Structure formats: structure tokens, C-alpha cells
Amino acid sequence: MLPANPVGATEQEPKPVHGIAMHGAPALPADFDHLPYASPDAKKGGAITYGVQGTFDSLNQFIVQGGTTTARGLRDNQFGALVFESLLDRNMDEPFALYGLLAESVRMPEERDWIEFTLNPQARFSDGTPVTVEDVIFSFEILRDKGRPHFRARYARIIKMKKVGERSVRFVFADGADRELPLLLGLSPIFASHTIDPATFDKSTLTPPVGSGPYLVAEVDPGSRIVYRRNPDYWAKDLPIRTGLYNFDEVGIEYFRDENTLQEAFKKGLVSILPVADPARWVTGLSFPAVDAGDVLKETFELGTPAGMYGFVFNTRRPVFADVRVRRALAMLFDFEWVNRTLYYDLYTRTGGYFDSSVLSSLGRPASALERGLLAPWIETLPDDVVDGTWRPTQADGSGRDRTVLRAAVTGLKEAGYAIDGRTMKAADGTPLAFEILVATKDQERLALAYQRALKAIGVEAAIRSVDGAQYQRRRQTFDFDMVLNNWPVSLSPGNEQRYRWGSAAADQDGSFNYAGVRDPAADAMIDAMLAARDGESFTAAVRAFDRVLISGAYVVPLFHLPEKWVARWKTILRPERHSVFGPRFEAWWAADGGEQAVDDAQ
């Protein structure tokens, strides 16, 4: 058994441990027997069918190839790691802590300038071949050379990968400035090198991959359905990190063209569970006989994570949005109060910053001395109300035409050189202030129409362009849009992913998540500070400072979030009593024997 806090470890020669955390020590001891949100008594067997909106035409999720969309479930934040696994796996009940999976132990010095993993001798791919150090090194090299931009940038910082003994591999970094990087290596997918041709890795494919995970790809109907079947010889089924997880014999994911079709499929029992984010659907769309009879259960789950950011994104690569004064003025015009009351039964909470509902948020908190030190080179450029914590998104009177807000937006645009000419807002050279909002779903279109209405009230023309899922994905990947809706979920341990959302280097990388085209030295510096933080106080200060920088840049029209997660399920699907701080983990759910008693027993 590995020691949780080994005695005698030195910076030069740290001892192997069972887990690591971003800050402090991992919460679970070396002899833990299951994750807090998993039930050791969960029954194996049965089937579950998920429903998602969209389409797919590839089984290679690790590359960017224009126009392709990958099937869900291979390695998925929502459905789990069905096919591809990593050296370590995450406990979703902690901010950021990892425990052994393909690797049975890990060594890392305090400086974090290297990390070493020792493979579990039992680790096997689904074809029965052992997972080797050579497979691990191959996986990192192929992702560094041909993977998505964030893989390439991340793994380019590894200066050496070397085999240590028969089952260990060490990664060496130039320095320990990025203290998250070693943990991210632990979460990287590991491939069966004997099944992959490096020459074609960066091409889409529908050939079922070989992984080490609990499931095999059993059926593929491109654009419509993918089915995963349990591997009866799954190597890790008895590991504590897997106890009570991945309980279904079969996992199906059905694709639907829109939310209405998906909801109707759920009502007919064709889909087993239905996460819902739209209050109108939650309140009125799930009133049907199976709910009244108790065959379908509607449940809410409290979240312990930041709300994240969902909003209309200004593509600052476009000249029309290059001026922050324009962005700030246009952001005023989204009438949350009217939209929430009229469309969403007043069930949403307005989003202000990027880490709302958490200790990481800057809202309501004046910048601390630590934050001011980090922001010193740029603090004079930040609005005073953002620095002192009093800034909030504009609040309207809910009429849908608040004249006070309209006047303030016109004044803001006047400062940027615009004026109303007749019924059209124009620049000094006579160019109308106009842009296009790209949408792919009816729900997005409904929101865009509400925003379009408010913009038109001051002479701003916003055309709405609705495209199919494939075109929408392609245009987002290549930043071919003026404005688009996007959701950036966040955890209690934001890190390197922020580089690919808001970092300058990602602004011109097709396939990155920097949809706004942010190129701000202040944002880059705050991300660096987050990654270099050695304690919780420094980390929190860096994130709050980062929040202030993004708010000041007005890159997004903040919309709203739910204070909890809503899920409807047929009673044939059971769940543990506890859920993680990130919300329900579907990989911990299981199939009932049937009957009301089974449902009661699961609660």
C-alpha cells in the first residue's frame, strides 16, 4: 500500500504516492475504497440511452479537422471516459485532485519541474495487450505533433520524456512555473500505439478505436447513434477509482436535430435521462402522464462549482468590435429582466463575471493587496468599479425598452464615435453599426431575437444567421463569425484551459476556444500567475484579478445561469444518494431491477 504522506521524501527524491492535488494534499487516503459519489453496491447490467443535440462524423476527438464533429462518449466530461483512459483520474468531489488509474503511483518534487508515473502492471488495452511506457511516450508525442492546439502548446513545454526502469516514465519541464502542467499530463489520454498510424492520426475516422477504458465501440451510425458495450475483460473493474462506476452493460447516445425532438424522445422512453437547462422546458415541457404516475422523476442538484460564463461573444477580430467602448455599450442592451420573466419563468440568475457563485469571483469584493500587485502594470486601464468590486451588469426595468438604459448605451457609442442618423446608428464615416449573430438551434435563435429587438431600438442592425450543426462547428473553429453564443464552464481550479480560451497565443489558432480573439498582456499575466501560485491565497488572488481583467475587456455579453442542475430520469435508472460538487456524475448511475421499491431504495 502506498503512503499518503511518505516519511523521508526529499525534494531531490520524492517518494511514490497514490495521488496528487493542485494545492495541498489529496483528500482521499491511500486505502480509499471508492469515490465519495459512487455506490459500491451499484448493480452491474442493463442499458442507458443518452440524448444529445447535433450530429457527428468522426471518432477522432483529439484533432482539428475543418467540418468534422466527433461522437460523444469516447472521453467525455458528461458521460465519462468510456474508451480512452489516462494515467491518473480525477475525484470530482475535490477542486483538482488526481489518483492512480493506468499509473499505480506518481512521484513529483515540490518544484514540479518533473513528474514520474509508474504503470499498473495489470493495465491492459481492450485487445488484451499491456499498456507500456512506450505507449505513454507515443501518446504524448503524437498529441504534441498532431493533436488539437491545446495539446500541442501544452506538451511542447516538455523538454524530456524518458523511460525509468521497466514500468516508469518521467517527464521533465524547463522549470516549475506552470504548476498545473504535471497534473494535466496525468489526465492526458493514452493510446495503444500498435493500433495507430502516425501518418493518418490527424485525419478523421469512423474506425472504432482501441482504448483501455471499460467500453468498446459496438455500433456506429454516423450522425444518428453510437453504442458502447461493456468490455467483460476490463482490467480496472476492481480498482477503488472504478468501484461503483460504469455500471451499464450498454451505453447508447442518440443524436437529435433539436431540443424539441430530444424532449419528445425522452417522453416516449427512448432516452433514459434528460438534463435540462431551459426553465420553460423544465416547468412546462415535462408535464406528461409518466411524471404524474411517478415513472419519471424530476430532480435538482446543488452545485459547488463556479457558475461559468454563458453569453454572446464579441469576435474582436472584426473591426466592428475592436473598440471596447462599443462592446460595453452593446452589452448594456441585453434586457435580462425582460428575457428572464418573459421566456424563463424568472428561474435564471444573471451572470456578471466568469467565476460567479464562488470564492473565486471578484464581484462584491474590492481588489486585495495581492491582486493590486498582480494588476499594477494595468490597473489604471481598468474601470474603477471593476477594481473596487461594485461593478454589475446593467439592470433594466424589465419593460423590454428601458429608456435609461437605451440613453446610456447611446452615450457610450457616442464616445466611440457613433451617432444616430435617422433610425440608424452610424460611425463618423457613415458606416452603419451592423453585425451578424450566428446560431444553430431554436433556443439560440430565440435569445438572439430578444437581443436583436433591443439593439434595433437604438438603430443597431443585428442580422441572425441560422446554420446547420456542421457549418456552425466549422465556422466557430475558424472564427468565421461576428457574434456567437458560447458557454465556458469552470471548476474550482481553473488553469491551463484558460490559455486556450483567453490567451493571446490562442487567438489565431483555429480550433482554440478563444472565440473572442482576446490578445491582452494583462490576461496572459494573470493566467501565468494562476499557474505559478503555490498556495490557495495566491491562487484565489490571481483568479479574481483575472476575472477583473476579463470583465473590463467586455468580451462577452453575460447572460445567465442556473443556481442548480436539473435532471429528469425514468425510474428504471437509479443513482447514489450523494453527488459530486460538480453535480451528478452519470457514470455512477445504474439500472434498476424495476418497480417503485427499487427507486425508493436508491434515494
Side-chain angles (χ1 to χ4, degrees):
M1 184 178 297
L2 293 169
N5 295 293
V7 177
T10 67
E11 184 171 310
Q12 290 73 32
E13 196 169 332
K15 299 294 185 181
V17 293
H18 72 296
I20 54 177
M22 183 63 190
H23 298 291
L28 301 181
D31 60 352
F32 81 93
D33 56 8
H34 66 282
L35 294 171
Y37 47 87
S39 171
D41 300 322
K43 296 179 180 179
K44 304 291 185 184
I48 189 169
T49 300
Y50 300 110
V52 297
Q53 185 178 344
T55 185
F56 75 93
D57 55 7
S58 175
L59 299 184
N60 186 353
Q61 72 183 78
F62 306 107
I63 63 166
V64 175
Q65 184 174 341
T68 63
T69 305
T70 310
R72 299 285 302 276
L74 296 162
R75 183 173 174 82
D76 196 292
N77 287 333
Q78 184 173 10
F79 306 131
L82 303 185
V83 174
F84 292 107
E85 293 184 317
S86 47
L87 295 164
L88 308 178
D89 201 17
R90 191 167 185 169
N91 173 17
M92 302 302 289
D93 219 36
E94 299 178 66
F96 194 7
L98 308 177
Y99 300 85
L101 182 54
L102 290 173
E104 66 177 1
S105 66
V106 57
R107 297 201 303 148
M108 180 176 67
E110 173 59 29
E111 288 303 310
R112 299 194 182 184
D113 52 354
W114 60 267
I115 189 168
E116 183 178 298
F117 304 93
T118 297
L119 293 176
N120 189 316
Q122 304 303 316
R124 296 288 187 276
F125 292 110
S126 59
D127 63 1
T129 59
V131 179
T132 67
V133 169
E134 287 73 21
D135 290 314
V136 174
I137 293 175
F138 169 85
S139 301
F140 281 92
E141 289 179 339
I142 200 74
L143 288 171
R144 178 197 63 198
D145 297 340
K146 295 194 171 187
R148 296 186 70 93
H150 66 280
F151 287 124
R152 298 187 188 199
R154 187 181 298 167
Y155 302 149
R157 286 178 273 157
I158 301 171
I159 62 174
K160 185 184 295 184
M161 305 182 222
K162 62 179 181 179
K163 185 174 183 177
V164 180
E166 191 60 33
R167 292 189 289 116
S168 298
V169 57
R170 179 178 293 193
F171 298 88
V172 182
F173 317 114
D175 55 49
D178 182 349
R179 296 181 63 78
E180 188 189 44
L181 182 57
L183 281 76
L184 296 180
L185 267 59
L187 286 177
S188 188
I190 303 302
F191 307 130
S193 58
H194 63 283
T195 68
I196 293 176
D197 179 359
T200 59
F201 179 81
D202 56 355
K203 305 298 180 185
S204 65
T205 180
L206 287 169
T207 301
V210 172
S212 63
Y215 291 87
L216 309 172
V217 176
E219 300 174 27
V220 179
D221 183 2
S224 299
R225 185 173 190 250
I226 185 167
V227 176
Y228 301 91
R229 199 157 291 138
R230 182 200 299 285
N231 177 5
D233 301 317
Y234 176 46
W235 74 275
K237 58 186 176 183
D238 297 322
L239 289 185
I241 197 74
R242 286 292 181 258
T243 297
L245 302 183
Y246 301 108
N247 301 308
F248 299 99
D249 283 344
E250 187 173 287
V251 176
I253 301 176
E254 299 278 352
Y255 284 74
F256 299 89
R257 66 180 181 272
D258 55 47
E259 287 291 340
N260 288 333
T261 311
L262 170 55
Q263 185 171 294
E264 290 305 310
F266 174 74
K267 289 181 179 180
K268 295 175 183 176
L270 302 177
V271 171
S272 309
I273 64 174
L274 184 70
V276 179
D278 183 342
R281 296 186 188 280
W282 186 248
V283 173
T284 65
L286 292 176
S287 298
F288 61 105
V291 174
D292 299 334
D295 294 324
V296 167
L297 307 176
K298 294 172 62 178
E299 299 178 308
T300 61
F301 299 88
E302 291 186 6
L303 300 175
T305 54
M309 173 57 74
Y310 175 53
F312 288 105
V313 187
F314 295 107
N315 185 353
T316 63
R317 303 170 187 84
R318 301 287 210 241
V320 66
F321 295 141
D323 191 328
V324 68
R325 295 172 298 180
V326 171
R327 302 195 298 270
R328 288 172 182 161
L330 296 180
M332 292 180 186
L333 293 169
F334 180 76
D335 191 338
F336 166 75
E337 288 71 26
W338 183 87
V339 168
N340 196 31
R341 187 188 73 250
T342 306
L343 302 180
Y344 300 123
Y345 296 84
D346 274 329
L347 291 176
Y348 275 127
T349 298
R350 183 72 194 267
T351 301
Y354 293 76
F355 304 94
D356 288 12
S357 305
S358 79
V359 69
L360 303 177
S361 174
S362 68
L363 299 185
R365 298 181 174 101
S368 66
L370 279 175
E371 288 181 70
R372 289 178 177 274
L374 292 170
L375 293 168
W378 306 280
I379 200 164
E380 296 301 323
T381 68
L382 307 183
D384 291 342
D385 56 353
V386 176
V387 175
D388 65 28
T390 60
W391 180 89
R392 292 294 186 278
T394 301
Q395 183 173 351
D397 61 11
S399 66
R401 197 179 176 89
D402 187 326
R403 293 187 178 278
T404 301
V405 173
L406 295 177
R407 282 194 294 268
V410 170
T411 299
L413 289 172
K414 183 178 180 180
E415 293 173 359
Y418 286 88
I420 295 178
D421 181 4
R423 295 188 176 184
T424 303
M425 183 68 69
K426 293 182 179 180
D429 63 0
T431 303
L433 179 50
F435 57 91
E436 179 182 274
I437 305 174
L438 186 69
V439 300
T441 70
K442 292 296 183 183
D443 288 343
Q444 290 179 342
E445 186 174 16
R446 180 171 55 169
L447 264 180
L449 285 168
Y451 190 34
Q452 179 192 53
R453 175 175 170 269
L455 293 164
K456 191 172 183 60
I458 63 167
V460 177
E461 288 296 326
I464 299 173
R465 173 68 63 88
S466 181
V467 297
D468 61 39
Q471 186 178 352
Y472 184 72
Q473 179 70 6
R474 183 169 60 251
R475 289 185 62 175
R476 278 164 56 96
Q477 285 182 343
T478 57
F479 312 123
D480 183 17
F481 58 83
D482 296 334
M483 175 176 280
V484 71
L485 278 156
N486 196 64
N487 181 41
W488 290 276
V490 292
S491 73
L492 289 166
S493 183
N496 267 277
E497 78 283 352
Q498 303 302 317
R499 290 192 194 276
Y500 314 113
R501 298 177 177 185
W502 311 107
S504 298
D508 295 317
Q509 290 180 346
D510 285 0
S512 83
F513 307 119
N514 189 347
Y515 297 115
V518 178
R519 298 179 183 85
D520 185 350
D524 296 334
M526 296 311 105
I527 295 171
D528 289 342
M530 272 192 276
L531 298 175
R534 288 174 175 255
D535 57 64
E537 183 182 13
S538 300
F539 177 74
T540 299
V543 179
R544 289 180 184 171
F546 181 54
D547 194 28
R548 297 183 205 277
V549 169
L550 292 182
I551 291 170
S552 300
Y555 301 110
V556 174
V557 181
L559 296 183
F560 40 68
H561 61 272
L562 293 174
E564 55 197 5
K565 188 173 182 67
W566 299 332
V567 180
R569 63 180 167 96
W570 285 86
K571 71 177 184 181
T572 52
I573 303 297
L574 304 185
R575 63 168 179 84
E577 266 188 51
R578 274 198 62 182
H579 63 277
S580 81
V581 297
F582 287 79
R585 301 301 305 175
F586 298 142
E587 67 268 32
W589 294 22
W590 68 94
D593 290 336
E596 191 63 44
Q597 185 61 41
V599 177
D600 291 341
D601 288 346
Q603 305 306 306

